[in-house]
């Protein structure tokens, strides 16, 4: 009860990974920043729940617990790349469920995998195709 399976510290299945060319300083920043985001998200969500009387749902609690545990592991990790991978995965894959990845050590810091140029282009092509089909249908 309450037990959450944790991804390994270095989990190749995580979609949010630091750049292979990141320096040691950048890897350290990524690890610290992502874990700080996780901590702050937990504080913010708990404050909102307390102020507005909403219950913190179990899924959020479990994801926050798993992400926090991964950050605790990352802090103990001596390999900076493994620590950054764990922290990026904790924020991007575990807590944010692949909706955001903060693996860039400078602006814009985070990316939204669903907000890509390919995604926008695909929607535009689909809309044009539907318009052409509608125009070609007999009235």
């Amino acid at each position: 009860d309450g037990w959450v399976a944790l991804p390994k510290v270095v989990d190749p299945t995580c979609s949010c990974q630091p750049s292979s060319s990141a320096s040691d300083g950048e890897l350290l920043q990524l690890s610290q920043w992502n874990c700080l985001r996780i901590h702050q998200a937990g504080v913010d969500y708990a404050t909102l729940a307390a102020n507005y009387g909403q219950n913190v749902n179990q899924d959020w609690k479990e994801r926050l617990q798993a992400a926090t545990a991964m950050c605790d592991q990352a802090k103990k990790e001596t390999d900076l790349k493994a620590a950054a991978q764990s922290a990026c995965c904790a924020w991007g894959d575990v807590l944010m469920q692949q909706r955001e990845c903060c693996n860039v050590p400078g602006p814009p810091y985070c990316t939204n995998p669903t907000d890509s140029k390919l995604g926008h282009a695909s929607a535009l092509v689909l809309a044009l195709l539907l318009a052409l089909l509608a125009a070609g249908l007999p009235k």
Side-chain angles (χ1 to χ4, degrees):
D1 187 63
W3 184 83
V4 177
L6 300 176
K8 293 180 267 180
V9 172
V10 180
D11 189 345
T13 63
C14 284
S15 63
C16 186
Q17 298 282 330
S19 168
S20 59
S21 63
S23 69
D24 285 352
E26 291 170 335
L27 291 170
L28 182 60
Q29 284 179 331
L30 288 171
S31 180
Q32 292 171 341
W33 290 344
N34 278 288
C35 289
L36 182 60
R37 282 182 184 94
I38 290 165
H39 172 76
Q40 192 59 49
V43 170
D44 292 346
Y45 197 82
T47 301
L48 285 172
N51 288 340
Y52 296 101
Q54 298 171 351
N55 291 328
V56 178
N57 70 38
Q58 189 61 32
D59 180 56
W60 172 260
K61 287 179 183 177
E62 289 173 0
R63 290 190 344 251
L64 182 62
Q65 179 185 12
T68 300
M70 289 177 72
C71 278
D72 290 345
Q73 290 176 353
K75 289 173 188 171
K76 295 174 188 172
E77 182 61 60
T78 57
D79 177 8
L80 290 175
K81 182 147 181 117
Q85 286 174 321
S86 182
C88 287
C89 182
W91 173 260
D93 287 76
V94 175
L95 194 62
M96 296 304 292
Q97 298 181 321
Q98 299 180 342
R99 284 183 240 125
E100 182 177 68
C101 178
C102 297
N103 63 347
V104 182
Y109 301 106
C110 302
T111 59
N112 181 339
T114 60
D115 193 24
S116 69
K117 289 180 182 176
L118 179 61
H120 289 223
S122 299
L124 180 62
V125 169
L126 180 61
L128 289 173
L129 182 61
L130 289 175
L132 288 172
L133 285 173
L137 292 175
K139 295 180 181 181

